[in-house]
Structure formats: structure tokens, C-alpha cells
Amino acid sequence: ELSQGSAAAPSAEEGGEEQEGEEEGEKEKEKEKEKEGEKSPSIPSASTAAARGLEEGAKNQFSTFSNFITTINQKKEGIGNRNSPTQLVIPNIKNGRDLPPLCLDVRQKQRVSVDTLPQELTAPFPPEPSLPIRTKTVKDFQDDMEKSKASGDWKAVHNFYSTTFDSFLEINAAFKKDTNSPFNTIEDSGIDAKFVNVVYDALLNTPQDVQKSVLKGIINGLLQEWTGPRTKDDLRAYCILLQNPQFSNTSTYVIYAHLLRQIAALTEADHHFLVHWSKKISQKRFKQVVERLLQFISLRLFPAKPEEFPPMVKCTWWIPSATKVLALFNAANSLISPPIISYTDFYNSTLDHIDLMEEYHNWQCYGNSHRFSFCQYPFIISIAAKKVIIQRDSEQQMISIARQSLVDKVSRRQKPDMNMLFLNVKVRRTHLVSDSLDELARKKADLKKKLKITFVGEAGLDMGGLTKEWFLLLIRQIFHPDYGMFTYHKDSQCHWFSSFKCDNYSEFRLVGALMGLAVYNSITLDIRFPPCCYKKLLSPPIVPCDHNTLVGICGVTLDDLFQIMPELAHGLSELLSYEGNVEEDFYSTFQVFQEEFGVIKSYNLKPNGDKIPVTNRNRKEYVQLYVDFLLNKSIYKQFAAFYYGFHSVCASYALLLLRPEEVEILVCGSPELDMSALQRSTQYEGYQKTDPTIRYFWDVVLGFSLDLQKKLLHFATGSDRVPVGGMADLNFKISKSETSTNWLPVAHTCFNQLCLPPYKNKKELKQKLIIGISNAEGFGLE
């Protein structure tokens, strides 16, 4: 077997467990010496797995990650208290201080990305050892495969695989595009991707002894005694081995773990090359590697057959190593626009079933050193899991505040009041905005408590309906064009902050607080802000202690402006690509004009901007300054108030785990609709799900276009988006309306309830439903 301590030198942080691994490694090496007659160490279960795979066929050999998740969800088993694995600490190279870290350092106040290699790291590389001469081409290999399948003689194919994977040098000799070229740049890995893909695609269709020879060769390469820094040929070999489909089989996980460990232990400069080379992998192969890593982590956490793996205490480094390698692929994915795969493809839903708060507390206590936590790598945590962390963190803060209030009451010998556990907001419908503003300002110490709304003069108890009604009414009033706080852009169908100057920006703070309250009280708001807004909301993700520090300022581009003002952005884009004389033809300066309350005001984009003409040479600077003015500087006070309002409720380190897109989903819900899931979770009142009217309803709804489905959801719930927990979290209800079938359907958006008359046929139901949902602006209260 591959010994625990032989794969890579342990870091100083890994402590006693790694020393045990080294002792076991020495024993294993002694065993190896006794087996000098053999070509490579034995692989206990690889041959059996390969044979089983050959019998079952390539399609059934490996279980998919999605199937595993389904199994986990069915079992709903907890794992109890697990020992948190020790984090692999990658040593920094001396001259690498300017190289950004590859894993997202969520304890920092900014997000980092991989860029180009600093000049000091481009020093001469160690000389590459000479490679064996291998002349086999893709066509030669394919011909050998066809002959072997026809004749049953696999000798030529076996020789190719056993030779190619016998060492890192042989891997390079086979798959390097030109063995005489160094390929020492991040732009080109020098890997013949087509040949690699063909060889791996054929591998699972070969006999078990061929597959076993590949695994033995990989072990030989991993057991090599490393001296000095790794060469670029070594990195190429790692990049190729990561794509091996055999590592989807749990019987190869011991080998896979050691491969991941060696890659995780590389220097930052080497990681930098792997990241840039990985982004050149095809989307299909890239996604397969990511899914393989996610499956490896999941099966180590929840093994279907625990006896297949070594005890957890002896391989605590498995999960940190795999997560670190996954971080390299996440970094590669973020370097490309659009990304190779969606950021949600890095989510591991298995983590929803572990003790997330323990992970969060470990991260809070230990940061990014000494102790591993998945919170160090937030890209792997699903949005649903992050919402749980944020809400529980808030609940703990609320409990702490309520406990202190209770202690204060008792110490003063006063009778405790249960209302102290809630944020009680009393408002008049006729003064909704001003009353809400006053209440939230007066009770800012209670913002993290559970929200309860009372409308003055009404005898309603808030069981959730009044809270949602308050949000709906308040958002509708604040975002109305006549109110002047926000401008609605029809082209982009989104709101943006009005740049009008005023004496008091407290109402913008109210909107920010509303968004924070919506997150904590699981209310989906019908707000249309562009993605740029959420990027600014996390700039920085934690409110700075120094009140003079600028907040809500982030790097913005022309792409951000396209999402808000596409017509203006298109004009600026035309300016950048204009082939004529910009200065003479446009006659513009570094000065812009805005209308405020009927008065045209001018603003200089830079000092003396009105005297600086825009030319072909400086037009890029002009466009960048103009975009920055529109999205940052001209609305700074408005957005700063909005920022502080949001963070007055959501002041939590958990925000460091979120991407801007995830903040938007928490506030507004997801735009992806699954009406079949809504059908499965719908409750009925006065109807049975087998009643003809209900069958007609779902036949019609499932046949609707996406636009009509969104209108139905908006009609019934007040928003056309889905909560983070999915359709089941809507608690959607269909009630029987004892009215004439001539009536249209009625909705109670506060309760996500649709009242449906007992229509006699599908045609009538469809006609009335479309009329109802297509003319749903405004609503009445009984």
C-alpha cells in the first residue's frame, strides 16, 4: 500500500499525526525493499475494482456525485462530532510576497484573485531532465486500440499504458507537444490535450491488467524521492494525472489522496502555473475534475462502506488536501469571463448535513491557520448552508442580547416582558415610511431580534402575514418613481440610486435595514437592483472601525454600467472603438452634466477636467472615470447610508463567506423556477389534490411559458423569485373559493395563498387564470 508519510514532506503545522505518518512511511519503505523483485507496490483493491468495472461496463463502474447526494438526502444521517482535520499550510516562497493566495482568504477584508506572475518569480527554472523519445501519435494509439479490440490481444496497448504512466518523465514524453521546448510560461502548458483525452477515454474500456498497470505506474511516480524544487515537467504530470477517470472509483482513493496531498503541498508559484494551465482544460474535463474532487470529499465524510478507507484519525489530511486542490480550480474558473462552469458547480451539498456552526466557530477562533474549516473555502459551501450559518449566528446574537435584557430586568427587580424577545414595530398605514423609519431608528439595538409588526388601529396578530405585508407595502412605496429615491431604468428593468443631493439620507438607511431584516426573517423582497449593487454592499464585507474609511466603493467597469444603463454604456463602448479623431469629432472634455430638479449641473471627472479634451489617447481613462463617477462618486452618500443600514442588521463575519450573487439570492430569491417542485409541496384547503379543478390547474400551470409562470408566482406571493430553500419554503396554499365560476382567482400575497373557484373545465380555468395574473397590479385589503 501507499504509505501515509511517503507522499510529501509534512508541514510544520500538521504535528503529531504527521510524525506518525512518517514512522509508518519508514516501515512501508522497509517492506518495499523486501519486495525488490516486484515492479511496484501492490494495490489491494485496484485490480478487483477494474475487473468489476469491466464486467459492469464503463457506464456503471462509478457512482455519480448527484446520485450520492440523493442517497445522503434520503438517509438524512448526521455525522455527530468529527475531529476537524488539520489544515495543510503551504509554505511561502521567499520572493513570492506579491503573489496573491489561491484560496479565498475570507478573513481578509478584500477578495483576492490570481493575476500574473511577479517579475521576481520569473527567474531561471531548474533544468529539466532529458525526456525519453516517444513517437506514438493519437492515430497510432487509436489504431492499436482497434486492433486489440478486434483480436483480443492487448499487449501493445498494455505496453503503452504501463510505459506512459510509469514515471513523470514518461508522462511528459508521451503527452508533451514538443519534448524539446521548455513550456515554462503560464500561457501554454505544452500538454497535448487531445491525446490525453483520447487515452483517458479509452482507459476504462481496457482489461483490468491494463488499468492496474496505470495505477502501479502512478504509485511509482508518487513514491519518487523528490530533491529540490519541482520542475515544470512535474507540474505537467500533476495536471495530467488529475484528469484520470480512474479516481472516480473509491478503490483508488488512497492513491488519489496522496496525489492531492502532493499537489496541495506545492509552492504558491507552482500553484500559480497549475491555476493558469487548468483554465485551458475543456469545460467537460474541467467539470469532471471538480465533480471528482467533490465526490472524494463527500465519500470521506459519509463513506458508504467505511471499511474501504483507512480510519479518519489516520488520514485527517485527505479532506484539507482535496479542498485545497479544489480551490485551485475555483481560482482558475474565476479568471475567465464568462467562467468555465457556474460558481454553483463548486457547491458540495453534503456539507449541508454536517455541523456547520462548529465549522463556523472553528474558523472564527482559529482563522486560516492551525485548524481546518470549510469556512476557509466558502466557494464549497452552498447558499442554503450559508443562510443557515447567517441565521443561526444572528439567533445566537439575539439570544445573547435578550439574555442580557432579562438579567438587567431581574437585577432591577422588574417583571420580565416577553415582548423583549422581539423587534416590535408599530406603524400607521397613512404614515408608513416615516413611522417605520422612526421605529427602526429608536430600536436599533433590537434589530437582530425576531420581527413583529403591528398596524395601529387594527386587531391583527402577526403570525408572519403582517410582516410580509409591511415589507410589500414599504418596498412598493419607497421604490415608486414619485418618491424620488430610486430611478427605474426600463432598458435594464432595474432600479438605481438617485443622484439628487439632499440634507438627510436616512431613508436610504431604512432601505438597507429592510434588506437586512428580510434576510434574517426569511422574507423574499421584490427588489430589482443590478449585480453591481451587491458587489458594493460587500465593499468591505465588515463595517470598518474607522468611520472615515470609505464604504460601498468597489472597482466598476463598463460591463457594470451595461447592467444598469445599457444605452449609455453602448455609447461609451462606441467611443472606445471609434476609429476617427475623437477630439475633433466628439469635442468632449473630462466634464459631465447631470440634471437635478430641473437644473443642469456640471462635474469635473478630474481636476480642471473642463479644460482637458478627450482624445484617442486618453479616452479609456475618460470612460473609466465616467463609469466610476456614475456608480460610485455621484451616489456615495446615498449608498453609504444604504450600506450602513444593511450592516446594522447583518453585522456578522458570516458575510465574509458570501459572493455578491449570493447576497442577491438571499435578499430577492432565485430566478430559477421549478413548478413541479411547487406542485409537490403545495397545501390545499377545501380541495384534494385529486379533485378535477386541481388537476386542471396543474396541467395548465406546467404548460405555461416561463413568463406566465413568473406572473403566477408574482400574483400569488408578491415576488416572481424562489426563496433559498426552494419552492417548499414558499408554503404555497390553494384554497377553494365558494364563489361563482365567473369570478377570477384571488391571491393573498401575505400568506402565499391562491383562492380558486371550482371551475368546471380546463379551458375556463386557463382563461380566467391568465386574465387574473396578467392584470395583477395593485391589490385591495378586505
Side-chain angles (χ1 to χ4, degrees), residues 508-536:
F508 287 99
R509 189 180 180 101
L510 170 63
V511 179
L514 279 176
M515 285 179 54
L517 288 170
V519 171
Y520 276 136
N521 290 274
S522 298
I523 301 291
T524 300
L525 298 182
D526 187 24
I527 293 178
R528 293 291 181 270
F529 280 134
C532 171
C533 173
Y534 302 97
K535 186 164 61 172
K536 288 166 65 68

Side-chain angles (χ1 to χ4, degrees), residues 312-385:
M312 179 66 89
V313 292
K314 289 192 174 182
C315 55
T316 56
W317 48 271
W318 279 31
I319 290 174
S321 297
T323 309
K324 179 70 176 180
V325 175
L326 195 62
L328 302 181
F329 281 86
N330 180 63
N333 194 54
S334 65
L335 285 177
I336 298 180
S337 181
I340 305 168
I341 59 178
S342 168
Y343 69 91
T344 58
D345 288 330
F346 286 89
Y347 286 165
N348 191 330
S349 301
T350 309
L351 303 186
D352 297 356
H353 302 271
I354 68 174
D355 189 342
L356 294 168
M357 293 314 292
E358 181 188 359
E359 293 289 326
Y360 179 64
H361 290 142
N362 285 342
W363 172 62
Q364 279 192 306
C365 295
Y366 299 100
N368 279 355
S369 61
H370 303 300
R371 194 167 184 179
F372 173 82
S373 167
F374 284 112
C375 291
Q376 295 162 343
Y377 306 91
F379 61 84
I380 200 175
I381 304 174
S382 70
I383 180 64

Side-chain angles (χ1 to χ4, degrees), residues 437-466:
L437 192 61
D438 292 342
E439 284 282 89
L440 294 182
R442 192 164 53 86
K443 299 177 179 179
K444 59 183 178 182
D446 298 332
L447 292 180
K448 292 182 181 294
K449 295 179 181 178
K450 181 69 176 175
L451 180 63
K452 281 198 176 294
I453 300 295
T454 302
F455 286 100
V456 176
E458 300 180 16
L461 290 176
D462 189 4
M463 305 301 290
L466 293 180

Side-chain angles (χ1 to χ4, degrees), residues 131-138 160 163-165 167-179 190-192 195-196 199 240:
L131 299 178
I133 304 299
R134 299 286 179 253
T135 57
K136 191 177 288 287
T137 64
V138 173
F160 170 79
T163 301
T164 298
F165 290 93
S167 68
F168 283 12
L169 287 179
E170 288 287 356
I171 290 175
N172 277 272
F175 298 120
K176 199 172 179 181
K177 286 188 283 191
D178 183 356
T179 55
I191 297 172
D192 186 345
F195 198 6
V196 172
V199 169
I240 292 167

Side-chain angles (χ1 to χ4, degrees), residues 32 80 82 104 212 247 436 466 590 606 611 632 676 778:
E32 292 300 326
R82 67 176 178 85
L104 189 58
K212 183 177 177 182
F247 292 135
S436 299
L466 293 180
F590 277 70
K606 58 192 298 187
K611 297 184 177 75
N632 282 326
S676 297

Side-chain angles (χ1 to χ4, degrees), residues 15 40 50 55 66 113 130 193 203 229 246 272 317 417 451 478 505 531 552 598 616 634 638 659 661 666 671 725:
S40 61
E55 294 168 5
S66 58
S113 63
S130 57
L203 177 57
Q246 289 179 296
H272 187 86
W317 48 271
D417 182 4
L451 180 63
I478 287 174
Y505 296 96
N616 292 64
S634 67
Q638 294 89 323
R659 297 170 57 97
E661 302 94 325
L666 284 176

